[in-house]
Amino acid sequence: MLDFIIRRHSIRKFKDENIPDKDLIEIIKAATLAPSGKNSQNWHFIVIKNRNKLNEIADIVKNKELKLSQYIKDGIEKNKFISSIDNHIFFKDAPITVFVYAGPYPDNRKKILKNAKVAKEEIEEYINVEPRIQNIGAAMENLLLAAANLGYGGCWMTGPMLAKKEIEEYIGFHKDGYSLVCMAPLGVPSENEIISSTRKPIEEILTIID
Ligand SMILES: Cc1cc2nc3c(=O)[nH]c(=O)nc-3n(C[C@H](O)[C@H](O)[C@H](O)COP(=O)(O)O)c2cc1C
């Protein structure tokens, strides 16, 4: 019954095969079928197919992370930081990468509570649950499930966001209040045996209250 969920794994290596536009559009449409607070649909998807552009973006990420690594004094921490760079640039070998922008979440309750002089901490408690970003999470999971069910694979990525500003500048997309929050390379998986990372036991993550 849950096959369509079990079929999804993070895919980081891809065959040299393109995704036809009709499949791509189906995948993006699936993303937009996700629930969103106030049906705000505060997402925008930029798809880059051009391999040179993806390589240039990967270079931007690598250079930014190398630059930041210069601030790390502890040798072990520095090596750890540098060795994780490959996990943030493998999208350069995917046929396409989807860059996901989040827009503002129209929430007048914050303003109403502020005007009513409710304590700032109490308002922040509420804002901390970040409905704006939760919407994007729902869309991302739909996107990856749809891709897996069409025979593709991908990986949700926030690692490259250390170079968020630089990537935004490179892409040059402007929509009021929107900014880059994550990305996902997509393609035909190259791994023969595709498996997910292990999961915590159910007893550890589930509490049922009668
Ligand atoms: C918000 C988020 C950010 C992630 N960022 C990265 C990333 O930058 N690089 C990467 O290789 N994997 C990234 N992943 C993939 C996770 O490592 C992966 O989902 C997890 O290990 C579980 O494996 P599975 O997706 O195969 O089930 C990210 C996943 C999520 C949900």
Side-chain angles (χ1 to χ4, degrees), residues 5-6 8-12 65 84 86-90 137 140-141 144 154-161 181-183 194-199:
I5 291 179
I6 294 164
R8 185 213 60 84
H9 311 278
S10 286
I11 300 299
R12 299 177 177 87
E65 296 200 14
S84 73
D86 282 348
N87 280 339
H88 307 148
I89 60 170
F90 59 83
M140 284 302 280
E141 180 65 355
L144 292 173
C155 186
W156 187 333
M157 298 180 77
T158 55
M161 295 304 115
V181 291
C182 61
M183 51 198 272
I194 300 158
I195 45 159
S196 268
S197 316
T198 53
R199 293 300 192 259

